[in-house]
Amino acid sequence: EIVLTQSPATLSLSPGERATLSCRASQSVSSSLAWYQQKPGQAPRLLIYDASNRATGIPARFSGSGSGTDFTLTISSLEPEDFAVYYCQQRSSWPRTFGQGTKVEIK
Amino acid sequence: EVQLLESGGGLVQPGGSLRLSCAASGFTFSSYAMSWVRQAPGKGLEWVSSITGSGGGTYYADSVKGRFTISRDNSKNTLYLQMNSLRAEDTAVYFCALPYGSGGYLDYWGQGTLVTVSS
């Protein structure tokens, strides 16, 4: 099973600041990695797929990079609605796995 | 418009069984794989199971293998999760999810149904 480790667990930032979230895989997943956003009481929303492709309707301030074992989600300038929990997920192999999440909170 | 609507959650005793359903609409159901993902209270996301469009291929997390069975009825546009030998650690919101247009990733989700395993 591929283990995804996200860091940091919590990121405290102010609106307008840049957020950089990390996801590290225990073995290579090539580019088969996605990022999801989840707000309290809601289902997750797909943001980025195949490491760097924005899903439909996702604003350009969200970007993803990386391949192999190290991946980054960047939010260029935080909007109030971006404060949420973010998860990475791999679909390189079975079982599919998620990271434990990074909470982006208002400082 | 794609819609996924889960049902069947509730309170069940340890060792009991429950069957979840996910009614799908707005797309050609039989053409797409489907998945179940769960989230324990206050915890992160955990992939549970996936099934191919035809139903011929199924995949499970180790934590549920041998206890849960995923299936689908393409004539009814419905996905199922039969959960047996339930444990307290199976308590979670269960989401059905669809990899529709974004490279096989989960881009449509239901609202979730809560399963509580407790005596």
Side-chain angles (χ1 to χ4, degrees), chain B residues 74-114:
Chain B
N74 287 344
S75 69
K76 295 182 177 179
N77 289 356
T78 302
L79 173 73
Y80 302 101
L81 185 67
Q82 177 67 44
M83 303 185 295
N84 298 331
S85 302
L86 282 162
R87 307 167 180 167
E89 55 264 36
D90 295 318
T91 294
V93 173
Y94 285 73
F95 297 98
C96 66
L98 163 68
Y100 184 67
S102 300
Y105 298 91
L106 304 175
D107 48 358
Y108 283 93
W109 297 67
Q111 85 292 347
T113 187
L114 176 62

Side-chain angles (χ1 to χ4, degrees), chain B residues 39-78:
Chain B
Q39 187 168 38
K43 303 298 185 183
L45 301 172
E46 180 187 15
W47 172 81
V48 173
S49 184
S50 296
I51 187 169
T52 58
S54 66
T58 57
Y59 307 87
Y60 297 94
D62 287 346
S63 59
V64 307
K65 198 174 295 183
R67 300 187 299 123
F68 290 11
T69 302
I70 191 171
S71 63
R72 62 193 298 158
D73 186 336
N74 287 344
S75 69
K76 295 182 177 179
N77 289 356
T78 302

Side-chain angles (χ1 to χ4, degrees), chain A residues 1 31-34 36 38 42-44 46 49-50 55-56 87 89 91 94-100, chain B residues 35 37 39 43-47 49-50 59-62 95 101-107 109-111:
Chain A
E1 171 177 319
S31 294
S32 299
L33 187 111
Y36 298 84
Q38 189 181 32
Q42 296 185 14
L46 178 67
Y49 67 95
D50 284 342
T56 302
Y87 297 93
Q89 181 235 331
R91 64 177 299 272
W94 300 100
R96 305 304 197 219
T97 48
F98 287 89
Q100 82 279 16
Chain B
S35 293
V37 175
Q39 187 168 38
K43 303 298 185 183
L45 301 172
E46 180 187 15
W47 172 81
S49 184
S50 296
Y59 307 87
Y60 297 94
D62 287 346
F95 297 98
S102 300
Y105 298 91
L106 304 175
D107 48 358
W109 297 67
Q111 85 292 347

